[in-house]
Amino acid sequence: MGRRSYGQYCALAKTLDLVGERWTLLIVRDLALGPKRYADLLEGLPGIGTSLLATRLKHLEAVGIAARSRLPPPAASTVYTLTTDGVALVHALVPLVAWGAPRLLGRRRRGETFRAEWPLLVLAAGVDREAAARVRDVYEFELDGSFAHLRVDNHDVAVVPGPADRPDVTVRIDVPDFVAIGSGELRIADALADGRLHLDGDPGAIERFFRVFRLGAMIDNG
Amino acid sequence: MGRRSYGQYCALAKTLDLVGERWTLLIVRDLALGPKRYADLLEGLPGIGTSLLATRLKHLEAVGIAARSRLPPPAASTVYTLTTDGVALVHALVPLVAWGAPRLLGRRRRGETFRAEWPLLVLAAGVDREAAARVRDVYEFELDGSFAHLRVDNHDVAVVPGPADRPDVTVRIDVPDFVAIGSGELRIADALADGRLHLDGDPGAIERFFRVFRLGAMIDNG
DNA sequence: CCGGATCCGTAACGATACTG
DNA sequence: CAGTATCGTTACGGATCCGG
C-alpha cells in the first residue's frame, strides 16, 4: 500500500521517510548538475532498475523536490530539474559529504564509476555569491583523468561535465588530494609546491577563483 | 553475500553505502543521546526487528561509528556509544534536519512517537563551547508535553530525557513554534510576547542560555 | 530480564523484456 | 526516448526461541 514510514515526530525520521530510500539522494545529486533526461539519469546510476527510477522520479516530483518539464520542439523531450527545495536539500547534503569524503573515499577502486562533476558540486555549493558579482570565468578541472568545469557568471555557478572551451583557469589534481585540501589536511601552498596540484591561468583569474570559492583559508593554513 | 553498494567513487554514495540503509541513522541519533543498551534502542525504535537492530549495531561498530562497552558489575550490561567519528556524523546531520524540520514536521499526528530530547540534539550540536566555559546550568524543556533537559557543564553539553531536578531555566513551547524559531520564521521576542514561548529562570541564567546556544540572532531579527 | 539468533511471510529492489 | 510489466532475489518486519 502506502510508503513505509518510521512513524516518528522527528525531523530526521521525516526527512528519511521522504528521501532516505535507496537511490533517492543520488538522483538528487545528479539533478543538481542541471536538467537531466530519464536516459541521462539511468546512465549515471548504473544498477538502478528502470522502473525504480520512474518510481523515484514520480515521488520526488510529488513531494516538490524535483520537477518535470517538457522541452518545446525541436528538442521535444522531458527533462527533470530540481525545485528550490531540491537545491536547498543539496546544500544540506554537503556536510554529510564532508564527513564521508576524508573517511571513506580512499583511492579509486576498479569498477567504481567516477565523474569529475561530483566533487565540483561541493565547490559550487560553497560559492560566495557576493564575490561572484560581475565575475565571468570558466574554471576547468581534471580530476583522476576526468574533466569538468565550473562556469561562474555574475553571481551564478554551474557545474558542467567535460572539458571547457577556453578556460580561464585549469586545475589538475588527484581526488584524494582534492579531498585532503577540502578537509584541511593538505594546504594548497604545499600541494602546489610538491606538484600534487597544478594550477594554470592568469594570476587575476586564479585570484578570483580563490575568492569566489572561499579557498583563501586553505592556501597556507589548515 | 556482502553488503549492497552503489559502486561509485563519490563521497555521497560511499556515505550512503555506510549509513544509508533503513534505521541506521535513527540508531545513530539515539546513540547521540548517550550510552544506550540494546533494549533501550529497541524501545526507542518501534517497528525495527530485533535481529535487524543487532545487524545494524554490529555494522556501526565494525565501521567505527559506534562502540560496544561492557559495564562492570553490578550494572553488568552492555551499552553502545558513539565514537568521535559517530559524533561528527551527528553534526553532519544537523543541516539535513534543518532542511526537513520546517518543511515536513507540521503538527504531530496520532500514533507518531515523540521525545523532547530529539529537538534538543540540534540545540546541543550548536553549542558554543567557548561561551560554555565555566557555565554549569541545567535548562529544562517542555515540548508538546514531553520533558527533557540540557546539562551544560564547563564546555560540555548533554541532552537528558525527562524533567530536570532543579533547572536554572525552564522553557515551554510547541514543536512547530520551536521549529519556526530555528528556521528564522518566528522571532523569540514575538513568541514570548504572544505567549507561545514561556521562559522562566533568573535573568543571568537565561542570558547564559542564549549565549551558550547562540540564540542571540533569533531574539529580534530573523 | 537482557542480548541477541532463527525462522518465515511480505515488501522492496535489480534485471530483463516489452511498449507507446 | 521514456517509461511499464514481469519475475527472481534480497532486505526488512514480526514472532518465537535461546543462552547467560
mmCIF file of all heavy atoms in Angstrom, chain B residues 6 9 29 35 64 85 92 95 99 112 121 126 129 134 139 141 144 164 176 194 212:
data_model
loop_
_atom_site.group_PDB
_atom_site.id
_atom_site.type_symbol
_atom_site.label_atom_id
_atom_site.label_comp_id
_atom_site.label_asym_id
_atom_site.label_seq_id
_atom_site.Cartn_x
_atom_site.Cartn_y
_atom_site.Cartn_z
ATOM 1 N N TYR B 6 26.722 1.022 -4.078
ATOM 2 C CA TYR B 6 26.419 1.745 -5.306
ATOM 3 C C TYR B 6 27.559 1.628 -6.310
ATOM 4 O O TYR B 6 27.372 1.901 -7.489
ATOM 5 C CB TYR B 6 26.144 3.215 -5.006
ATOM 6 C CG TYR B 6 24.859 3.471 -4.253
ATOM 7 C CD1 TYR B 6 24.866 3.941 -2.950
ATOM 8 C CD2 TYR B 6 23.634 3.246 -4.858
ATOM 9 C CE1 TYR B 6 23.686 4.198 -2.266
ATOM 10 C CE2 TYR B 6 22.445 3.501 -4.188
ATOM 11 C CZ TYR B 6 22.485 3.975 -2.887
ATOM 12 O OH TYR B 6 21.316 4.219 -2.211
ATOM 13 N N TYR B 9 32.603 6.082 -7.045
ATOM 14 C CA TYR B 9 33.690 6.778 -6.367
ATOM 15 C C TYR B 9 33.220 8.202 -6.093
ATOM 16 O O TYR B 9 33.632 9.164 -6.736
ATOM 17 C CB TYR B 9 34.936 6.754 -7.254
ATOM 18 C CG TYR B 9 36.188 7.286 -6.608
ATOM 19 C CD1 TYR B 9 36.674 6.724 -5.441
ATOM 20 C CD2 TYR B 9 36.900 8.332 -7.183
ATOM 21 C CE1 TYR B 9 37.830 7.198 -4.867
ATOM 22 C CE2 TYR B 9 38.058 8.813 -6.616
ATOM 23 C CZ TYR B 9 38.518 8.248 -5.450
ATOM 24 O OH TYR B 9 39.674 8.726 -4.867
ATOM 25 N N ARG B 29 21.188 8.628 15.786
ATOM 26 C CA ARG B 29 20.522 9.714 16.511
ATOM 27 C C ARG B 29 20.300 9.333 17.971
ATOM 28 O O ARG B 29 20.600 10.112 18.879
ATOM 29 C CB ARG B 29 19.179 10.036 15.855
ATOM 30 C CG ARG B 29 18.330 11.045 16.623
ATOM 31 C CD ARG B 29 16.851 10.932 16.282
ATOM 32 N NE ARG B 29 16.309 9.626 16.697
ATOM 33 C CZ ARG B 29 15.121 9.156 16.362
ATOM 34 N NH1 ARG B 29 14.323 9.885 15.591
ATOM 35 N NH2 ARG B 29 14.710 7.970 16.773
ATOM 36 N N PRO B 35 25.015 6.782 26.112
ATOM 37 C CA PRO B 35 25.106 5.326 26.062
ATOM 38 C C PRO B 35 23.724 4.683 26.156
ATOM 39 O O PRO B 35 22.895 5.104 26.969
ATOM 40 C CB PRO B 35 25.954 4.981 27.294
ATOM 41 C CG PRO B 35 26.716 6.222 27.586
ATOM 42 C CD PRO B 35 25.832 7.356 27.190
ATOM 43 N N GLY B 64 33.337 1.747 12.838
ATOM 44 C CA GLY B 64 33.914 2.762 13.709
ATOM 45 C C GLY B 64 33.017 3.931 14.044
ATOM 46 O O GLY B 64 33.490 4.980 14.469
ATOM 47 N N ASP B 85 34.038 9.700 15.514
ATOM 48 C CA ASP B 85 33.508 9.750 14.148
ATOM 49 C C ASP B 85 31.981 9.763 14.157
ATOM 50 O O ASP B 85 31.351 10.445 13.346
ATOM 51 C CB ASP B 85 33.988 8.545 13.327
ATOM 52 C CG ASP B 85 35.357 8.780 12.703
ATOM 53 O OD1 ASP B 85 35.923 9.876 12.898
ATOM 54 O OD2 ASP B 85 35.870 7.863 12.038
ATOM 55 N N ALA B 92 26.998 16.337 11.187
ATOM 56 C CA ALA B 92 26.765 16.454 9.745
ATOM 57 C C ALA B 92 25.297 16.272 9.384
ATOM 58 O O ALA B 92 24.873 16.612 8.284
ATOM 59 C CB ALA B 92 27.619 15.438 8.993
ATOM 60 N N PRO B 95 22.231 19.924 9.288
ATOM 61 C CA PRO B 95 21.625 20.650 8.163
ATOM 62 C C PRO B 95 20.495 19.886 7.497
ATOM 63 O O PRO B 95 19.530 20.494 7.017
ATOM 64 C CB PRO B 95 22.802 20.842 7.197
ATOM 65 C CG PRO B 95 24.014 20.757 8.052
ATOM 66 C CD PRO B 95 23.686 19.752 9.109
ATOM 67 N N TRP B 99 16.798 21.229 7.146
ATOM 68 C CA TRP B 99 16.037 21.227 5.886
ATOM 69 C C TRP B 99 14.653 20.634 6.113
ATOM 70 O O TRP B 99 13.643 21.190 5.678
ATOM 71 C CB TRP B 99 16.792 20.427 4.810
ATOM 72 C CG TRP B 99 16.080 20.406 3.488
ATOM 73 C CD1 TRP B 99 16.182 21.339 2.495
ATOM 74 C CD2 TRP B 99 15.130 19.431 3.021
ATOM 75 N NE1 TRP B 99 15.359 20.990 1.445
ATOM 76 C CE2 TRP B 99 14.704 19.833 1.732
ATOM 77 C CE3 TRP B 99 14.607 18.250 3.570
ATOM 78 C CZ2 TRP B 99 13.787 19.089 0.984
ATOM 79 C CZ3 TRP B 99 13.684 17.520 2.823
ATOM 80 C CH2 TRP B 99 13.294 17.943 1.547
ATOM 81 N N GLU B 112 2.224 8.994 16.161
ATOM 82 C CA GLU B 112 3.641 9.311 15.991
ATOM 83 C C GLU B 112 4.329 9.402 17.342
ATOM 84 O O GLU B 112 3.883 10.136 18.227
ATOM 85 C CB GLU B 112 3.812 10.639 15.251
ATOM 86 C CG GLU B 112 3.522 10.542 13.761
ATOM 87 C CD GLU B 112 3.778 11.853 13.049
ATOM 88 O OE1 GLU B 112 3.864 12.895 13.731
ATOM 89 O OE2 GLU B 112 3.877 11.837 11.823
ATOM 90 N N LEU B 121 18.724 17.828 20.558
ATOM 91 C CA LEU B 121 20.001 17.435 19.953
ATOM 92 C C LEU B 121 20.516 18.510 19.005
ATOM 93 O O LEU B 121 21.721 18.728 18.899
ATOM 94 C CB LEU B 121 19.835 16.123 19.178
ATOM 95 C CG LEU B 121 19.978 14.846 19.997
ATOM 96 C CD1 LEU B 121 19.650 13.637 19.137
ATOM 97 C CD2 LEU B 121 21.400 14.742 20.551
ATOM 98 N N GLY B 126 24.688 22.808 18.359
ATOM 99 C CA GLY B 126 25.074 24.178 18.040
ATOM 100 C C GLY B 126 25.703 24.923 19.201
ATOM 101 O O GLY B 126 25.841 26.142 19.157
ATOM 102 N N ARG B 129 31.186 26.236 22.595
ATOM 103 C CA ARG B 129 31.961 25.686 23.706
ATOM 104 C C ARG B 129 32.773 26.741 24.454
ATOM 105 O O ARG B 129 32.999 26.621 25.659
ATOM 106 C CB ARG B 129 32.892 24.576 23.208
ATOM 107 C CG ARG B 129 32.132 23.320 22.826
ATOM 108 C CD ARG B 129 33.061 22.197 22.414
ATOM 109 N NE ARG B 129 32.268 21.020 22.079
ATOM 110 C CZ ARG B 129 31.814 20.160 22.988
ATOM 111 N NH1 ARG B 129 32.101 20.327 24.273
ATOM 112 N NH2 ARG B 129 31.091 19.125 22.610
ATOM 113 N N ARG B 134 33.101 27.390 32.083
ATOM 114 C CA ARG B 134 32.732 27.715 33.471
ATOM 115 C C ARG B 134 31.229 27.900 33.687
ATOM 116 O O ARG B 134 30.811 28.360 34.745
ATOM 117 C CB ARG B 134 33.485 28.960 33.961
ATOM 118 C CG ARG B 134 34.995 28.719 34.159
ATOM 119 C CD ARG B 134 35.713 29.987 34.546
ATOM 120 N NE ARG B 134 35.500 31.064 33.590
ATOM 121 C CZ ARG B 134 36.125 31.157 32.413
ATOM 122 N NH1 ARG B 134 37.005 30.242 32.051
ATOM 123 N NH2 ARG B 134 35.869 32.147 31.601
ATOM 124 N N TYR B 139 19.032 23.449 31.739
ATOM 125 C CA TYR B 139 17.909 24.095 31.060
ATOM 126 C C TYR B 139 16.865 23.042 30.745
ATOM 127 O O TYR B 139 17.126 22.112 29.996
ATOM 128 C CB TYR B 139 18.384 24.780 29.779
ATOM 129 C CG TYR B 139 19.585 25.678 29.981
ATOM 130 C CD1 TYR B 139 20.740 25.507 29.237
ATOM 131 C CD2 TYR B 139 19.577 26.694 30.946
ATOM 132 C CE1 TYR B 139 21.851 26.325 29.420
ATOM 133 C CE2 TYR B 139 20.678 27.514 31.143
ATOM 134 C CZ TYR B 139 21.811 27.320 30.375
ATOM 135 O OH TYR B 139 22.907 28.125 30.572
ATOM 136 N N PHE B 141 13.249 21.693 29.235
ATOM 137 C CA PHE B 141 12.300 21.970 28.154
ATOM 138 C C PHE B 141 11.048 21.128 28.305
ATOM 139 O O PHE B 141 11.139 19.934 28.594
ATOM 140 C CB PHE B 141 12.916 21.649 26.791
ATOM 141 C CG PHE B 141 13.971 22.620 26.365
ATOM 142 C CD1 PHE B 141 15.222 22.608 26.960
ATOM 143 C CD2 PHE B 141 13.709 23.536 25.374
ATOM 144 C CE1 PHE B 141 16.206 23.508 26.573
ATOM 145 C CE2 PHE B 141 14.685 24.439 24.971
ATOM 146 C CZ PHE B 141 15.924 24.428 25.573
ATOM 147 N N ASP B 144 5.560 20.059 23.646
ATOM 148 C CA ASP B 144 4.357 19.256 23.407
ATOM 149 C C ASP B 144 4.080 18.309 24.575
ATOM 150 O O ASP B 144 3.698 17.145 24.379
ATOM 151 C CB ASP B 144 4.486 18.431 22.119
ATOM 152 C CG ASP B 144 4.383 19.307 20.874
ATOM 153 O OD1 ASP B 144 4.502 20.527 21.004
ATOM 154 O OD2 ASP B 144 4.164 18.744 19.781
ATOM 155 N N ALA B 164 14.092 17.978 34.751
ATOM 156 C CA ALA B 164 15.322 18.207 35.495
ATOM 157 C C ALA B 164 15.018 18.318 36.979
ATOM 158 O O ALA B 164 13.870 18.515 37.384
ATOM 159 C CB ALA B 164 16.000 19.472 34.998
ATOM 160 N N PRO B 176 6.072 22.994 16.654
ATOM 161 C CA PRO B 176 6.040 23.850 15.461
ATOM 162 C C PRO B 176 6.623 25.236 15.707
ATOM 163 O O PRO B 176 7.302 25.782 14.838
ATOM 164 C CB PRO B 176 4.543 23.918 15.121
ATOM 165 C CG PRO B 176 3.981 22.653 15.669
ATOM 166 C CD PRO B 176 4.754 22.387 16.933
ATOM 167 N N ASP B 194 3.533 36.909 22.539
ATOM 168 C CA ASP B 194 2.178 36.377 22.393
ATOM 169 C C ASP B 194 1.987 35.041 23.114
ATOM 170 O O ASP B 194 1.045 34.296 22.833
ATOM 171 C CB ASP B 194 1.760 36.299 20.916
ATOM 172 C CG ASP B 194 2.670 35.408 20.106
ATOM 173 O OD1 ASP B 194 3.396 34.605 20.719
ATOM 174 O OD2 ASP B 194 2.652 35.515 18.872
ATOM 175 N N VAL B 212 25.174 30.495 25.263
ATOM 176 C CA VAL B 212 25.781 29.171 25.063
ATOM 177 C C VAL B 212 25.235 28.503 23.801
ATOM 178 O O VAL B 212 25.971 27.827 23.088
ATOM 179 C CB VAL B 212 25.553 28.294 26.306
ATOM 180 C CG1 VAL B 212 25.886 26.836 26.014
ATOM 181 C CG2 VAL B 212 26.376 28.814 27.473
#
